[in-house]
Amino acid sequence: MKRVLEMDVVMVPQQRGWDADGKGLSVWDTFTHQGGERVFKNQTGDVACGSYTLWGEGLKCIKQLGLTHYRFSLSWSRLLPDGTTGFINQKGIDYCNKIIDDLLTNGVTPIVTLYHYDLPQALEDKGGWLSEAIIESFDKYARFCFGTFGDPVQRWITINEPNVFALLAYDFGIYPPGVPHFGTGSYQAAYNLIKAHARSWHSYDSLFRKEQKGVVSLAIFATWVEPADPNSVSDQEAAKRALAFCLNFFAKPVFTDGDYPEVVKSQIAFMSKKQGYPSSRFPEFTEEEKRMIKGTADFFAVHYYTTHLVKYQENKKGELVFFQDVEIQVFPDPTWIRSLDWIYVVPWGIRKVLQYIKDTYNNPVIYITENGFPQGDPASLDDTQLWEYFRQTFQELFKALQTDKVNCKIYCAWSLLDNFEWIQGYSSWFGLFHVDFEDLARPRVPYTSAKVYAKIIQNNGLEEHP
């Protein structure tokens, strides 16, 4: 397999000294310090893999792999401790500039994410992503970052996985701020997230693009779905709704016409009426907002981890739950291998996702900005089986590139290091390099997968054809 795209890994934003050098509180600092078993074993990201103080060790790992691109996330509360430009933390700027400079010095192109779940607590206290005031706050933050780091950075992602974040944080309440708003929260947050992204894209386009010549998008989480019974019309329609509510919910407004999929609007309106609401629970865009949102992405950034089967499940009781709004049940095929927790190994799903994006969104340039497989507490650094999952995935990616002619340019593995995996804490390991969280030095030791990944980059692809 010969590679025709750049290979990369992703590093998480949360693994820095949580209160060092003037950093302000983020919602994850508050959330993890509250205890109550919200996170696995009440673990926190206070130190995690120690990337704030051990960036030089991370750089060694990047060089060992031979990466051409490296994606990392800025910490809003490290740069602007209260979330506003009224208080700018120069030490935070210096830290980010060092990462960018070190990458460029070593021939590695940075891909920078502005927001990866970690809202400054000061802004959450004012309503967070449920308040429309956040749109202006995010745009000012984005403009600050574009102006501060934009000369050397030419690839930007505004918001990481808004579809996951809106649902888990503001509907289910299992991510900070930790308050569920079933049936309303994720829709209101999504409404503001999309507009915040669009505003920041326009700011870049009008104020910075001419000089900096960069590109901007948002990164959407995509699970591929198949009807549980391919001969069932209701399951086929359920699968279409699942794609509409997950992938197209954010992609269609940004890439197509500025508006949500019709099936999303009609389905929620139908369920709202069934539940006795005088009008739909779903906030819709005005015509002016649609014009502002339309066309605000320069490439399609997508995350793929797994695939699900989807079955129609009527919401007979009118429950205010996301999956009941969509009227679906999702589950794996019993023959699929379970990597860990929610991830089942379905390599062909990545090809399906890429083909769908190509066909639906006019063959855009695609960056796979996350893809990976976790393992439980590793008893051995020899993760040969885990690498086999990667190898099969790369074979499917090869088919998408060569046979389907998908315009995919960059692939990012999640992640460079074992890290704090949100509410899973340290119960799952995604890294190409192992980090011993019991060792205060946090040494980075390559798994077998890191060594093989480095060979793929060196050889410009898998040695054998699929």
Side-chain angles (χ1 to χ4, degrees):
M1 169 184 172
K2 285 297 179 182
R3 178 176 59 87
V4 294
L5 71 164
E6 304 294 347
M7 307 299 281
D8 185 20
V9 296
V10 188
M11 192 170 182
V12 294
Q14 218 55 38
Q15 304 353 301
R16 309 178 175 108
W18 77 277
D19 61 350
D21 293 337
K23 177 184 171 295
L25 278 176
S26 80
V27 290
W28 275 93
D29 297 325
T30 303
F31 186 77
T32 57
H33 293 167
Q34 288 172 342
E37 297 294 335
R38 291 176 165 189
V39 177
F40 180 76
K41 292 186 177 180
N42 284 325
Q43 294 167 339
T44 75
D46 291 1
V47 178
C49 53
S51 290
Y52 183 68
T53 55
L54 298 173
W55 158 245
E57 298 304 307
L59 182 62
K60 291 178 184 177
C61 297
I62 291 169
K63 293 169 68 175
Q64 187 173 337
L65 291 174
L67 300 181
T68 57
H69 289 68
Y70 179 70
R71 177 181 167 232
F72 71 98
S73 301
L74 304 177
S75 169
W76 189 343
S77 59
R78 184 172 297 286
L79 295 167
L80 309 177
D82 66 358
T84 75
T85 53
F87 176 22
I88 297 171
N89 181 17
Q90 184 60 45
K91 289 186 176 179
I93 295 174
D94 294 343
Y95 169 71
C96 295
N97 272 329
K98 179 168 177 52
I99 293 177
I100 295 166
D101 291 345
D102 285 350
L103 291 172
L104 292 171
T105 298
N106 287 278
V108 181
T109 300
I111 302 172
V112 179
T113 300
L114 294 175
Y115 180 75
H116 195 141
Y117 301 173
D118 55 341
L119 188 69
Q121 184 62 49
L123 295 181
E124 182 58 49
D125 292 341
K126 298 178 181 179
W129 288 102
L130 295 181
S131 168
E132 289 197 55
I134 196 67
I135 299 168
E136 180 69 18
S137 297
F138 183 79
D139 185 41
K140 288 181 177 179
Y141 165 60
R143 278 184 274 144
F144 166 79
C145 293
F146 296 148
T148 304
F149 308 113
D151 285 338
V153 174
Q154 295 190 332
R155 289 172 173 83
W156 293 96
I157 291 172
T158 56
I159 299 169
N160 181 79
E161 296 179 342
N163 46 346
V164 172
F165 164 70
L167 186 64
L168 299 185
Y170 289 103
D171 210 279
F172 297 166
I174 60 175
Y175 276 18
V179 179
H181 300 272
F182 294 118
T184 58
S186 62
Y187 302 143
Q188 182 62 42
Y191 176 75
N192 293 328
L193 283 159
I194 291 172
K195 290 196 291 183
H197 158 76
R199 279 277 297 274
S200 64
W201 184 92
H202 281 289
S203 289
Y204 188 85
D205 194 54
S206 61
L207 300 174
F208 302 99
R209 190 188 301 275
K210 183 177 179 180
E211 295 297 324
Q212 297 178 1
K213 298 178 173 58
V215 289
V216 180
S217 189
L218 76 173
I220 302 175
F221 179 92
T223 294
W224 183 249
V225 294
E226 294 279 348
D229 179 356
N231 296 316
S232 165
V233 174
S234 60
D235 285 2
Q236 292 172 14
E237 293 302 313
K240 291 177 183 178
R241 285 198 304 278
L243 277 175
F245 272 80
C246 179
L247 176 61
N248 299 328
F249 193 108
F250 284 85
K252 182 176 176 288
V254 168
F255 286 92
T256 304
D257 60 3
D259 199 10
Y260 297 109
E262 287 300 321
V263 68
V264 169
K265 296 188 292 183
S266 62
Q267 182 72 13
I268 299 172
F270 170 73
M271 295 307 304
S272 298
K273 183 177 181 180
K274 186 175 181 179
Q275 292 153 347
Y277 284 83
S279 60
S280 177
R281 291 177 276 111
F282 191 61
E284 295 194 28
F285 299 124
T286 65
E287 292 304 315
E288 182 180 0
E289 288 170 339
K290 292 175 189 177
R291 289 190 292 272
M292 187 266 292
I293 294 165
K294 178 182 178 181
T296 54
D298 303 314
F299 57 94
F300 200 118
V302 62
H303 298 178
Y304 172 80
Y305 286 95
T306 196
T307 290
H308 288 135
L309 298 180
V310 175
K311 184 177 182 64
Y312 169 64
Q313 181 171 283
E314 183 183 359
N315 185 5
K316 295 180 180 179
K317 298 180 181 179
E319 296 174 85
L320 277 174
V321 182
F322 175 79
F323 289 106
Q324 296 298 337
D325 261 352
V326 192
E327 293 193 301
I328 58 172
Q329 179 185 3
V330 298
F331 50 90
D333 186 302
T335 66
W336 294 344
I337 298 172
R338 185 179 185 181
S339 174
L340 189 73
D341 195 19
W342 54 276
I343 296 180
Y344 289 80
V345 181
V346 191
W348 50 261
I350 197 168
R351 182 183 181 188
K352 294 265 192 176
V353 165
L354 295 176
Q355 182 71 58
Y356 181 85
I357 292 170
K358 175 190 176 184
D359 294 344
T360 307
Y361 295 105
N362 194 30
N363 193 24
V365 171
I366 299 173
Y367 294 1
I368 300 171
T369 37
E370 284 185 26
N371 171 244
F373 303 94
Q375 54 185 325
D377 190 356
S380 169
L381 293 173
D382 183 11
D383 58 346
T384 305
Q385 183 58 58
L386 198 69
W387 177 253
E388 176 62 17
Y389 303 156
F390 272 109
R391 189 188 66 80
Q392 294 174 17
T393 299
F394 289 154
Q395 287 180 328
E396 294 298 321
L397 182 53
F398 173 85
K399 295 173 187 175
L401 291 166
Q402 299 298 321
T403 303
D404 306 333
K405 306 301 180 184
V406 168
N407 194 16
C408 185
K409 298 297 186 182
I410 290 176
Y411 171 89
C412 306
W414 181 272
S415 61
L416 182 67
L417 307 175
D418 290 335
N419 59 76
F420 178 74
E421 281 290 338
W422 312 115
I423 60 173
Q424 283 84 23
Y426 305 108
S427 64
S428 61
W429 280 255
F430 278 86
L432 292 169
F433 287 80
H434 175 59
V435 177
D436 183 353
F437 296 108
E438 300 300 319
D439 188 331
L440 293 179
R442 298 297 197 271
R444 284 87 161 104
V445 182
Y447 289 105
T448 296
S449 55
K451 299 173 184 178
V452 182
Y453 191 64
K455 289 181 180 178
I456 286 180
I457 295 171
Q458 183 180 10
N459 296 333
N460 199 37
L462 290 173
E463 293 181 358
E464 77 279 7
H465 256 275

